[in-house]
Structure formats: structure tokens, C-alpha cells
Amino acid sequence: MLRHMVISDIMASLLRTNALNYSNKVIKLTSTKPGGWMFHRNDFHRCQHQMAHEKNTKSTDNKTPSDASIIDASKVIKKKESFVNFVSSRLLHFLDRYQKLLEKKFPGAMTVYRVFVIGFKDFSIDTKDYLVIKNRIVMSPTKVVELSKKDIDLYYRMPGEILRVGPTLLISALPFANYIVFPIAYYFPKKLLSSHFWSLQQKSQFAQEFHKDKLLNYRPLLRHLQFSLEEIKDEGLKSLAKDVLHDLGSGSHPTVEKIMGITYLFEKERYSLKAIHGPHVKCLCSVHSMNRLYLKRSRLYDRAEMLRSIDIVIRREGISNLKTDELKNACFLRGLNASNLRNEEMLDYLETWMSVSQHVESRANSLLLHLPILISYNHPNNWALLRSK
């Protein structure tokens, strides 16, 4: 019995130091003296359980303080997060109620606030996109006609928008100037703000006002064409031009075939950009809402190139895929008052325009610039707007 206990202690110490490998079978130990002894598997299992128990007890007693501190810290973090969420929700609820109170007590001030907040946001986004598109065209072989319909509209529209709202933004940056500039700009949005700050009603109203200013120059432009008619040397071309102008004077519009028949007059003859007189050039600038003070002919040429590029993109993506707002903007840009027109009427007008523009090359850019009066001079919607007060 004593021998058995001694051997058990020896084996336990050996198992703790991991000095021996035991088998699941019977372990036979032989004494150096005669009369050896046997150590069975049951004794081995008992030693194994004892070691596991001592190990668990030791690991429990030796738990480091850092583990407990981590657990406590996680609980504190969860409590802080729940507190922050509660405070945030209450703050948002308070701000929402405060905004409704301000809208009720000061509706005018809140309207101005909302106009400028939303306007600045939209203007910043479009300006950023415009700079990306501009950089892509300048720094890479990408051509303007390779842009999408949305990108090419933004590319040609944003310079004018920046020029209109730029002075307002620059002056408002001065100390205390925003308290004076923004109220003034709010009451004169057509001159001092871009379309990003306009309401839907203002966009429709200003589009008609801008177009009416164009229509006031339609008749003078037609008169310039008629006055230059006698300077055409080719009798055949002169006869074709008289026929086209007679249609306009009689209240109708020339066909696409008649217009294409006088293309040469806009290339190298009397109606080309280089040949038309100064007053004719100024009137043409007014028809396209352009400044009449500097570089008129070169800017008119760029305007025609812009129209041609947009036409190429629209034909590529499909005229029928244009939305109602896009149809209206396209018709206003090409000389037609699109207010109160059905989509089918706007599509018919754009198809007539495209049937001419797709055959016009750069040397006949003057034809694109005169095309608004050739196909829309007698349109009832234009005359209705012109006669309105």
C-alpha cells in the first residue's frame, strides 16, 4: 500500500512536468529489484483528473486583473453609447420641433434659408462635376461628343451659371456682407443667382422671359436676310433664297429640302459668318442670348459647335429617350417656346431640327445659327409668347 502511494506521487509529478508520454493501455513499470509491480490504466486516469483539477484551480486563482478591467470597460462603453444615442435622439427631436416653430413664426426667413441651403448644395455638386468633366476633356483624348447627354449639358451650362452667381458669392465672403447681399439676391434671382437657387415656378417663368427677349430679335434678323438677298450673285441660289424667305413672310415655314438647297449661301456666300454685316452679327447674338460687346463672330462659331455637339449626343442616345424637362430645354435652346406643348409636338420640332443639323458641317455653322427663325419663326407658340404681356 505504501509502495502504491509512493508510485502514485512519482507518477503525478512526472505528469505535471510533461516528461513522459502515457499510453491508454496498461503501463507496466518494472522494479530493478526482484518482485516487480504493475501500474494499471485506472491509476493513470485518476492522475490525469487530478492534474486537470489542479490546472483549473490554478488558472482561476491566477486570473489577471486586466481581464476584469476589460470586461468592466466594455460595460462602461456600452452605457456611454446608450447615453449618447439617447441624447442624440432627443436633440434631433428638439431641432425638428424648433424648425417647425421657426417655419410657423418666421415663414419668410425660413423660405430664404431653405432656398440658399439647397441652392448652395446643388451648385457645389454641379460645379464639382463640371470641373471633373472639364479636366477629363483637357487632360485626356476624350472629345465633347463622347460625353453623355447629362455631362454635355452640364459642360455647356455651368460657365454661364458660375458667371451669374459668382459676384454674389464673392461679395458675400466679405465680413458681414452676406447680411446685405443674400436678401438682395433673393429678390433679384434672375440676375444675381443661378438656376440652382430658383424654384420650379421661377424656372418656368424665367425660361419664358429669356425666350421672349430672343423672339424680339427674330423679325430684325429676318429683315437682315432679306436686305442681303440682292447681294447674292448666283441667280439660282438667289431664287431659292427668295422662295425660302417668301415662305417665312407668308406665315409658313420652308421644308427641309428647301433649307438644304441654300446651304452654300451659309458656307461661303452672303450669309456666312465672315460675310454678314456688323448689325446682322449683333442681331444674331441677341437671338442666341449672347453678349454683343466682344469677339462676336468667334463666339457665334463656338455656339454653333455647341449646338452641333449636343445634337450628335442626342441622336446617339435617341430623341425619344428625352424626358419632358429635357425636351423643353432642348426646344428653348433651339428657338421654340416649349411652354404648354405636348411631348409629341416638341419631338416633331426636334426631329425637324435634327434632319437639317445632321447634314450641316462646320463651314456652314451660320445655317445652324439661323435655323431657329427658319423653322420656328411662325410657330403659334412663339407668337403667343411674343404678344403676351
Side-chain angles (χ1 to χ4, degrees):
M1 184 67 179
L2 180 60
R3 180 185 295 181
H4 186 74
M5 292 175 60
V6 171
I7 292 175
S8 297
D9 293 335
I10 294 172
M11 292 304 301
S13 63
L14 290 175
L15 287 172
R16 287 192 202 100
T17 57
N18 294 321
L20 295 176
N21 293 326
Y22 297 99
S23 173
N24 288 329
K25 298 180 180 180
V26 177
I27 300 174
K28 183 176 180 181
L29 297 176
T30 307
S31 174
T32 56
K33 295 180 182 182
W37 43 268
M38 298 290 295
F39 184 61
H40 290 278
R41 186 169 51 189
N42 293 336
D43 297 327
F44 171 69
H45 285 321
R46 187 172 66 253
C47 293
Q48 231 177 0
H49 291 316
Q50 183 178 356
M51 280 186 59
H53 177 70
E54 291 178 358
K55 184 177 181 181
N56 292 335
T57 304
K58 183 177 180 181
S59 62
T60 304
D61 295 338
N62 295 334
K63 183 180 289 187
T64 60
S66 60
D67 296 336
S69 63
I70 292 174
I71 296 174
D72 294 339
S74 63
K75 292 180 179 179
V76 172
I77 291 173
K78 289 181 179 180
K79 290 181 179 179
K80 288 184 177 180
E81 288 179 351
S82 61
F83 176 75
V84 170
N85 292 335
F86 172 77
V87 173
S88 300
S89 62
R90 299 302 299 175
L91 179 61
L92 291 175
H93 179 68
F94 169 76
L95 292 176
D96 184 56
R97 291 183 59 187
Y98 187 67
Q99 182 178 353
K100 292 179 179 179
L101 178 63
L102 290 177
E103 290 176 353
K104 184 178 180 181
K105 298 290 185 179
F106 309 101
M110 290 302 297
T111 301
V112 175
Y113 167 79
R114 190 175 292 106
V115 165
F116 281 99
V117 168
I118 297 175
F120 276 123
K121 180 180 178 181
D122 294 342
F123 178 77
S124 301
I125 293 173
D126 282 354
T127 302
K128 181 181 178 181
D129 293 341
Y130 166 73
L131 294 176
V132 171
I133 296 170
K134 183 75 173 180
N135 183 67
R136 194 169 73 191
I137 293 175
V138 173
M139 303 300 295
S140 68
T142 303
K143 298 180 180 179
V144 176
V145 294
E146 296 175 357
L147 299 174
S148 64
K149 175 64 172 57
K150 179 182 177 181
D151 289 347
I152 198 171
D153 284 343
L154 196 66
Y155 177 73
Y156 285 118
R157 178 173 57 86
M158 279 307 295
E161 302 276 18
I162 294 173
L163 187 62
R164 187 186 301 117
V165 76
T168 302
L169 298 181
L170 290 176
I171 296 174
S172 66
L174 299 175
F176 305 106
N178 57 327
Y179 296 106
I180 301 175
V181 173
F182 287 154
I184 296 176
Y186 178 77
Y187 284 104
F188 300 97
K190 183 180 176 181
K191 298 293 184 181
L192 301 177
L193 295 176
S194 66
S195 60
H196 305 86
F197 299 86
W198 299 346
S199 63
L200 293 177
Q201 181 181 359
Q202 287 175 330
K203 289 180 180 179
S204 177
Q205 175 187 347
F206 295 159
Q208 294 185 47
E209 291 177 0
F210 287 135
H211 193 68
K212 188 173 182 178
D213 293 337
K214 295 180 183 180
L215 294 178
L216 293 174
N217 296 278
Y218 273 31
R219 180 171 291 180
L221 184 60
L222 179 60
R223 294 290 181 263
H224 285 297
L225 292 175
Q226 292 172 339
F227 292 154
S228 301
L229 190 62
E230 298 302 326
E231 300 179 21
I232 299 175
K233 299 177 181 180
D234 190 302
E235 293 297 329
L237 289 174
K238 181 186 291 188
S239 176
L240 293 175
K242 282 183 178 180
D243 192 18
V244 170
L245 297 179
H246 179 267
D247 289 339
L248 293 175
S250 62
S252 61
H253 294 106
T255 62
V256 174
E257 290 74 16
K258 288 183 178 181
I259 295 174
M260 297 306 302
I262 61 173
T263 302
Y264 187 75
L265 290 175
F266 296 90
E267 291 181 1
K268 298 181 179 180
E269 282 288 336
R270 192 66 194 84
Y271 295 152
S272 66
L273 278 179
K274 294 182 179 180
I276 57 179
H277 299 300
H280 190 160
V281 174
K282 291 182 179 180
C283 188
L284 199 57
C285 288
S286 298
V287 166
H288 291 279
S289 298
M290 297 172 58
N291 191 291
R292 301 163 40 152
L293 297 179
Y294 62 96
L295 302 175
K296 294 180 285 293
R297 297 180 193 270
S298 61
R299 288 168 53 240
L300 282 171
Y301 181 87
D302 293 339
R303 178 76 172 192
E305 287 298 311
M306 179 201 74
L307 292 171
R308 183 200 318 285
S309 300
I310 297 177
D311 289 348
I312 292 173
V313 174
I314 290 178
R315 287 199 302 269
R316 185 181 68 228
E317 297 187 2
I319 301 177
S320 59
N321 294 327
L322 294 178
K323 300 177 182 178
T324 301
D325 291 341
E326 293 174 335
L327 285 173
K328 288 185 177 181
N329 293 334
C331 289
F332 275 120
L333 181 64
R334 290 161 180 81
L336 176 64
N337 173 28
S339 302
N340 303 320
L341 286 183
R342 293 179 290 109
N343 287 7
E344 293 77 11
E345 295 175 303
M346 292 186 285
L347 284 172
D348 289 342
Y349 180 81
L350 290 178
E351 287 174 355
T352 302
W353 175 285
M354 296 294 178
S355 61
V356 177
S357 68
Q358 65 182 342
H359 300 294
V360 176
E361 299 180 1
S362 297
R363 59 177 179 268
N365 274 345
S366 180
L367 177 56
L368 276 184
L369 297 172
H370 288 85
L371 197 55
I373 69 165
L374 295 177
I375 64 175
S376 71
Y377 179 79
N378 293 306
H379 197 284
N381 230 35
N382 277 347
W383 280 104
L385 179 60
L386 192 58
R387 292 167 180 168
S388 64
K389 296 182 179 180

